[in-house]
Amino acid sequence: MSLSRLVLPLLLLFISKGSCASKQQHDNLLVLTVATKETEGFRRFQRSAQFFNYKIQVLGLNEEWHGGEDKKTAGGGQKIRLLKSALEGYAVQEDLVILFTESYDVIFASGPTELLKKFKQAKSKVVFSSETLIYPDRRLEAKYPQVRDGKRFLGSGGFIGYAPYLSKLVADWQGLDSDSDQLFYTNVFLDPEKRGNLNISLDHRCRIFQNLNGALDEVVLKFENGRVRARNLAFDTLPVVIHGDGPTKLQLNYIGNYIPQIWTFETGCTVCSEGLKSLSGLKEEALPVVLIGIFVEQPTPFLASFFQRLQKLHYPQKRIQLFIHNHEEHHLSQVDNFVDEHGEEYRSVKVIGPEDRVENADARNIGIDLCRQDPVCEYYFSLDAETVVKNPDTLRILMEQNKFVIAPLVNRLGKLWSNFWGALSADGYYARSEDYIDIVQGRRVGLWNVPYISSIYLIKGSVLRSQIAQPDLFHSGKLDADMAFCHNIREQGIFLFVTNQQHFGHILSLENYQTTHLHNDLWQIFSNPEDWKEKYIHENYTAALKGKGIETPCPDVYWFPLLTDTACDELVEEMENFGQWSKGDNTDSRILGGYENVPTIDIHMNQINFEREWYKFLLDYIAPITEKLYPGYYTKTQFELAFVVRYKPDEQPSLMPHHDASTFTINIALNHVGIDYEGGGCRFLRYNCSVRAPRKGWTLMHPGRLTHYHEGLPTTKGTRYIAVSFLDP
Ligand SMILES: *[C@@H]1O[C@H](CO)[C@@H](O)[C@H](O)[C@H]1NC(C)=O
Ligand SMILES: *[C@@H]1O[C@H](CO)[C@@H](O)[C@H](O)[C@H]1NC(C)=O
Ligand SMILES: *[C@@H]1O[C@H](CO)[C@@H](O)[C@H](O)[C@H]1NC(C)=O
């Protein structure tokens, strides 16, 4: 009891002292800004002000803007009018320091204490930001005082001063809302008498204000102890207020990714989780309705897998509307199959096929507009067919970020190619930002405001019905559809975010995708090896590679899972589609074991132009397991003979005993005994040992010569297929 009585007052004292100190700062300093709309840039400004504990007063919110266009240098008079009337209330507060600043393109890099200290060191009653470039009237240059060091010209985007002086500064304002504020302040400053009376100086060396226009080369980000500051290298200063004026908005976005957030690069920004909107706890029927726009704009491998993953997305189908644009004749059946089998499960489905002859940009406009016109549609999720969404929670994760426009980071596996750009070149094309590689490779983690996203992104329906309500988002001059989209969105002051806070998936490589085969994905082992593996390699192969689940049905005969059912089916169908089975006569006979002539009914891998791919498959999947099972033996998996054999009772049911012309042989069962055929199997005569019930997708691996003299047991019903390779002949 007595202890707590003792401790408590101390604690209170400490707290009140702390809050008193920060309060004092607040009472002495007020930030005024004009914002007629709460843009994302404005909210960023607000967040940075809150972060550093600035007290801000916003002028003109929800007022109509008459101050001219953002991009033009003229205009801005409205800001003076609003400031003038606001200052009337503060004119007598001699100790009050007021910072006036733009807000759409401004962030704070430090707090009030540092700002006030630097202001007082400037020993002026009013300090304006400085500019490298003179505007709006170049003819005024001669009137500007010379400076020995630093920037010579006034910038009206930011200034700080004692309230009575600022009040006097704008007291004479009589102009129109559309007149230039920059010109007004310039004329005051260039009048020596006014300059003296108001005691105005410029922040020549960017100790307080950093205008980025014309100064990009001077400014770098400096990382220290998880904190980031923008440093001006020309003057060796750490500016407090950073302004992305003129054409430097994207550079400010870049800086804003790091400031004023506190960073640990492996785990990301500490305040990027702000504004989250949780979906957890919502019943399925309460989840937002999303329209997923799917774009098959070019021949794309693994499309069936794409649709399978779409099915497995952790989001109720009844809350999903589908819009599919398929530009490719080649994919007609895959899209139709998906819609026939699963369309009913979704809230709605609309398909535009190749016969409709709708081009990429137009199709994307149609998809977006379907969501825009439907008040129920809360999100539009654009998904290109070459994206591989591995994370089934992607849609929920993006929704919870609560941004207008957001993309999950996806890149080509092992490559730097991704679905975002970190910077733009002067002509609006790709430029590599300093942090691009670190973000793609996951060394910097966070939520990034970037100039370009593509392939997969989520947009809020509400923003489609307000800020970006124009029906054509996907055209702009000569830009391609994706670039035009990003350009048009940026023009509306909307940020494009990309997140790499989770792993989401990757993008397929579309290069070298041939469409000349029946099952073209089989040929993708070089271009998209991971996707190939997922589709064609048995799920328990990896365990087998670690020695688990390998059976030994006969001495030195190993038996393990290798191919998926799909791989088996597609290989058989490719062969049957090719159809030129050898007749089992001498014209296509192979000399096996050096002396025996044991012909089979078969088609070789090279006959379907599959030998390069088969070789790669043997190298990637057979060689590593061989080295495990036959220690000390290193195979190059060279082969001369690799083929699919067909056994049928009325054609060729079995194969007489023989040696193989190989060091070892793999023999993969391509269909199901008991379902597709009866009988079959393999008998090793020396051991009087048979493998009688071959398992689809499993391979036998056994020595070829000397010990493993063997025969193919008769297939008594149906058709049996096996894939055989003689390795290291
Ligand atoms: C502002 O006033 C101080 C003294 O009060 C003076 O030293 C300084 O030169 C003045 N600056 C300008 C720009 O007039
Ligand atoms: C893989 O192994 C597990 C465990 O033995 C088994 O349950 C599963 O069916 C196997 N997968 C396939 C495709 O055979
Ligand atoms: C081979 O094994 C079968 C049963 O597994 C047996 O009936 C037969 O006698 C054996 N043949 C020889 C030659 O050992």
Side-chain angles (χ1 to χ4, degrees), residues 152-384:
R152 191 169 157 210
F153 307 113
L154 174 143
S156 63
F159 50 90
I160 183 169
Y162 288 101
Y165 285 81
L166 290 190
S167 179
K168 271 182 256 166
L169 170 71
V170 293
D172 293 341
W173 170 255
Q174 301 280 332
L176 302 171
D177 278 3
S178 56
D179 286 348
S180 167
D181 59 337
Q182 169 77 15
L183 188 61
F184 173 76
Y185 293 122
T186 302
N187 284 331
V188 173
F189 179 73
L190 294 182
D191 178 331
E193 197 185 318
K194 286 183 182 166
R195 179 163 74 238
N197 289 342
L198 292 168
N199 195 253
I200 307 175
S201 69
L202 301 190
D203 179 32
H204 298 292
R205 297 167 49 84
C206 304
R207 299 178 74 249
I208 298 174
F209 298 103
Q210 178 68 61
N211 292 316
L212 292 175
N213 196 10
L216 290 173
D217 294 343
E218 294 166 15
V219 182
V220 295
L221 289 178
K222 166 179 163 280
F223 300 92
E224 231 171 60
N225 305 328
R227 285 203 168 251
V228 191
R229 274 304 282 267
R231 175 187 287 274
N232 185 307
L233 292 176
F235 310 120
D236 196 24
T237 49
L238 299 170
V240 177
V241 182
I242 319 284
H243 183 199
D245 53 336
T248 62
K249 290 179 174 48
L250 295 181
Q251 282 82 6
L252 186 79
N253 290 351
Y254 182 84
I255 292 173
N257 284 332
Y258 295 96
I259 299 174
Q261 308 176 344
I262 297 177
W263 274 88
T264 48
F265 285 124
E266 306 78 50
T267 53
C269 43
T270 53
V271 293
C272 60
S273 57
E274 196 179 38
L276 289 187
K277 179 175 155 182
S278 173
L279 297 181
S280 67
L282 285 187
K283 292 216 180 87
E284 288 212 337
E285 57 274 22
L287 285 170
V289 170
V290 56
L291 190 145
I292 304 186
I294 292 166
F295 297 91
V296 187
E297 299 299 322
Q298 53 209 314
T300 307
F302 304 108
L303 193 63
S305 314
F306 172 89
F307 283 119
Q308 278 163 16
R309 280 188 305 270
L310 183 68
Q311 282 287 109
K312 288 186 195 145
L313 216 53
H314 292 170
Y315 208 82
Q317 268 107 327
K318 282 286 163 236
R319 306 302 284 171
I320 296 177
Q321 306 171 319
L322 289 182
F323 167 73
I324 304 174
H325 176 239
N326 171 25
H327 186 262
E328 297 298 322
E329 204 78 43
H330 172 68
H331 290 303
L332 216 44
S333 65
Q334 281 162 316
V335 172
D336 285 351
N337 284 349
F338 170 75
V339 171
D340 289 349
E341 283 170 30
H342 300 289
E344 292 275 289
E345 298 157 19
Y346 290 88
R347 192 178 179 88
S348 65
V349 183
K350 181 179 167 62
V351 181
I352 294 186
E355 67 285 359
D356 297 312
R357 300 186 184 285
V358 177
E359 283 311 312
N360 183 4
D362 299 321
R364 290 176 192 272
N365 276 327
I366 294 171
I368 277 200
D369 210 47
L370 280 174
C371 178
R372 183 186 285 125
Q373 302 301 338
D374 179 358
V376 171
C377 180
E378 283 188 62
Y379 288 95
Y380 177 73
F381 188 42
S382 182
L383 195 53
D384 292 2

Side-chain angles (χ1 to χ4, degrees), residues 645-660:
V645 182
R646 182 169 80 183
Y647 292 114
K648 273 185 185 183
D650 57 351
E651 197 177 61
Q652 181 187 26
S654 62
L655 196 60
M656 61 194 271
H658 61 281
H659 282 112
D660 289 341

